[in-house]
Amino acid sequence: QMRSSLCDAERRTCAFVAAFIVVIMSAPPATSLDAQIHAHAKHTDDADAPPPPPDTLPALFWSGDGDDWMDDAHMNNPEFAALKAMLAEDPASPCELAEMHKNKGNQSMKYKHNLMYARYAVEHYTTGILVACDDAGLNSILHSNRAYAGLLLKNYRKAYEDGVKAVELDARNVKGWYRAAKAALSLEKFEECARLCVAGLDVESTNRDMKVLLREAKRGVEKREAQARLDVDERARVSAYAEALRDKCIRIGPAVLGSGERWPTIDANTHEAVFWTLFVYPESMQTDVVEAARESDALGAHLDVLFNPGAPPLAWDSANAYTRESVEIYWQTNATVPYTYAQIETKMLDAAGVTRRDADDDTRRAIVDAETKTKKVDARDQFMRLIVDPYATTFGDLVKNKEFVVAGHVVLYIVAKGTEFRQQFLNGEWEL
């Protein structure tokens, strides 16, 4: 008798849907939307075969927010109001209609590997909820089942809301607890996920899936706490570093050579800046590296090491033109566009894995512009400047010059006096 009653209710609902379609679609010829609604009505009338999935469901159940489905905010939808009015005239009870749509939704979920059927299921569960059945247990199942479909559709906010509603209606609904917790985990609401798992385990203490979810939530909390500690520590470190650069008038910009960015470090004991320095011999395009030139070091002291009389001659200097007495040292003015200190902080925080800050997006775009040479230095502002007295000039003195930019790292150029190349170099008749 119950089966007969449900079948009658099902037939009556199909008739109402068909009548509804005739009312709103009778004037114009059939459109693609007509075809979709017709396919949906046919599916509602045939529980044993999956419906052919249309590209989109009728606007009655879907409202422009991706996988968002009808809720209280959509109850003024005229199409829904018309269908609700017809359902109200159905002699079947609201609970019979809710049961029927629950079964239809469950039938669609058998084909959930195709997400269109998960959307069909949402349609049925939503209709079952909106017929206003007074059976709290049935309504709890409808919300719980719709939460499952929401998880499949990755609509975690809706899935969470439905799971919570399910357990409000029936605290014994273990699936409701689990699905609400699963959605909370996907939303990175780790404490809420743990709370829901604990409550669900109070109902069913042996639920293995719930226990696994609880462990994941605890790991999420631990990871977030560790991230919060890292954020605090790195922000303090980066802020102190940027402040030290300001105090020492050190300006840093993108690298201009192929050796990357090797920014100066700050010695924790002496508070001196320490520079990774590339010495370039432009005549031969050979290089030497000093990995730790200190702020207080005189440039001449490093030249003494590089051109130690006891050292073997440079392999490429067959004329022996490069000696300590013959070499000069130059630097390029405005070698690159310097980063702002805010950009330096953003680059360092991002590199350290600090939680991304959307407010820094404009700064990131400016960094990309600088690094891709979208913003360039005017060539008229660039020239080679001789360090007249290397023994009286320290690295600290050098970087304080307002025209000196650490282009990824300190770059200095060594040229021998009295050579033909020296004049070409000074005339800018060479290229890196």
Side-chain angles (χ1 to χ4, degrees):
Q1 184 176 358
M2 181 65 179
R3 176 177 177 81
S4 175
S5 175
L6 288 175
C7 290
D8 289 342
E10 185 175 336
R11 282 193 292 273
R12 285 192 292 272
T13 299
C14 292
F16 284 134
V17 171
F20 171 66
I21 294 169
V22 170
V23 169
I24 64 172
M25 297 293 184
S26 58
T31 65
S32 60
L33 181 59
D34 296 328
Q36 293 173 22
I37 295 177
H38 177 72
H40 165 61
K42 183 178 183 299
H43 165 51
T44 305
D45 196 42
D46 185 359
D48 297 325
D55 293 335
T56 60
L57 290 177
L60 177 61
F61 293 97
W62 298 91
S63 177
D65 292 323
D67 290 332
D68 202 9
W69 48 77
M70 185 177 291
D71 55 20
D72 292 344
H74 300 88
M75 286 189 177
N76 292 325
N77 183 308
E79 295 174 353
F80 169 70
L83 180 56
K84 188 175 181 181
M86 286 187 287
L87 288 174
E89 297 174 2
D90 194 322
S93 72
C95 288
E96 287 177 329
L97 293 173
E99 181 73 26
M100 181 189 71
H101 282 289
K102 183 200 77 173
N103 293 336
K104 290 294 184 181
N106 293 348
Q107 179 71 17
S108 291
M109 287 297 283
K110 292 180 181 180
Y111 309 97
K112 60 183 178 288
H113 58 278
N114 183 331
L115 293 183
M116 181 53 67
Y117 296 115
R119 294 187 174 98
Y120 272 123
V122 168
E123 172 189 342
H124 285 297
Y125 296 141
T126 299
T127 305
I129 291 167
L130 294 175
V131 297
C133 168
D134 59 4
D135 184 335
L138 178 54
N139 286 328
S140 175
I141 292 170
L142 286 164
H143 279 286
S144 175
N145 288 2
R146 194 170 70 170
Y148 181 34
L151 288 170
L152 292 175
L153 295 169
K154 294 182 170 52
N155 192 332
Y156 301 121
R157 179 181 62 83
K158 281 291 189 181
Y160 168 74
E161 292 172 357
D162 270 327
V164 169
K165 184 64 176 178
V167 298
E168 286 177 359
L169 292 165
D170 181 4
R172 306 295 299 175
N173 188 338
V174 175
K175 290 181 179 179
W177 288 111
Y178 176 78
R179 290 162 184 170
K182 184 81 171 175
L185 184 71
S186 297
L187 293 168
E188 297 187 356
K189 297 181 176 182
F190 302 119
E191 291 86 352
E192 175 67 357
C193 176
R195 183 190 71 79
L196 293 164
C197 287
V198 169
L201 289 169
D202 284 343
V203 177
E204 187 179 295
S205 61
T206 59
N207 190 299
R208 181 177 299 178
D209 291 338
M210 200 86 75
K211 291 178 179 179
V212 170
L213 204 58
L214 179 58
R215 287 196 294 270
E216 291 181 13
K218 289 180 177 178
R219 283 195 294 269
V221 170
E222 293 168 357
K223 182 178 179 181
R224 189 168 62 193
E225 289 175 348
Q227 181 67 49
R229 290 192 296 272
L230 180 142
D231 288 356
V232 171
D233 292 344
E234 287 301 313
R235 285 181 186 279
R237 180 184 69 84
V238 169
S239 179
Y241 179 80
E243 189 62 31
L245 295 183
R246 287 190 191 93
D247 290 344
K248 297 175 183 296
C249 301
I250 298 173
R251 299 192 302 161
I252 299 174
V256 295
L257 302 179
S259 43
E261 290 187 343
R262 300 169 184 266
W263 290 1
T265 59
I266 305 298
D267 188 301
N269 296 319
T270 65
H271 305 292
E272 276 194 297
V274 180
F275 301 93
W276 192 94
T277 303
L278 187 70
F279 289 89
V280 178
Y281 303 94
E283 184 172 1
S284 63
M285 290 311 298
Q286 300 297 312
T287 60
D288 274 320
V289 172
V290 174
E291 294 187 347
R294 303 185 73 83
E295 179 183 349
S296 58
D297 290 352
L299 276 71
H302 287 282
L303 290 178
D304 289 344
V305 174
L306 292 174
F307 295 96
N308 187 325
L314 299 173
W316 49 267
D317 182 21
S318 58
N320 199 27
Y322 285 76
T323 64
R324 177 62 195 90
E325 292 75 20
S326 65
V327 295
E328 296 175 325
I329 187 166
Y330 292 84
W331 58 276
Q332 186 180 34
T333 62
N334 302 299
T336 188
V337 176
Y339 298 124
T340 66
Y341 291 111
Q343 290 170 354
I344 289 172
E345 290 192 48
T346 296
K347 278 179 66 72
M348 293 184 68
L349 290 172
D350 286 349
V354 171
T355 302
R356 189 177 179 89
R357 296 127 349 259
D358 291 341
D360 291 344
D361 284 346
D362 288 342
T363 303
R364 292 187 184 93
R365 284 189 284 271
I367 290 170
V368 171
D369 287 344
E371 292 176 343
T372 56
K373 306 300 186 295
T374 301
K375 184 177 181 182
K376 297 181 180 180
V377 177
D378 190 325
R380 292 171 296 181
D381 294 328
Q382 292 180 312
F383 57 89
M384 291 297 174
R385 177 167 290 178
L386 172 66
I387 298 174
V388 178
D389 188 350
Y391 292 102
T393 304
T394 66
F395 280 85
D397 297 330
L398 181 63
V399 297
K400 286 178 182 176
N401 191 299
K402 65 180 181 180
E403 294 182 309
F404 189 92
V405 181
V406 176
H409 49 76
V410 173
V411 181
L412 298 171
Y413 299 87
I414 298 178
V415 177
K417 292 182 286 188
T419 62
E420 181 180 345
F421 175 79
R422 178 178 179 274
Q423 195 57 48
Q424 295 174 357
F425 174 77
L426 294 177
N427 292 340
E429 298 171 356
W430 66 285
E431 293 182 0
L432 284 172

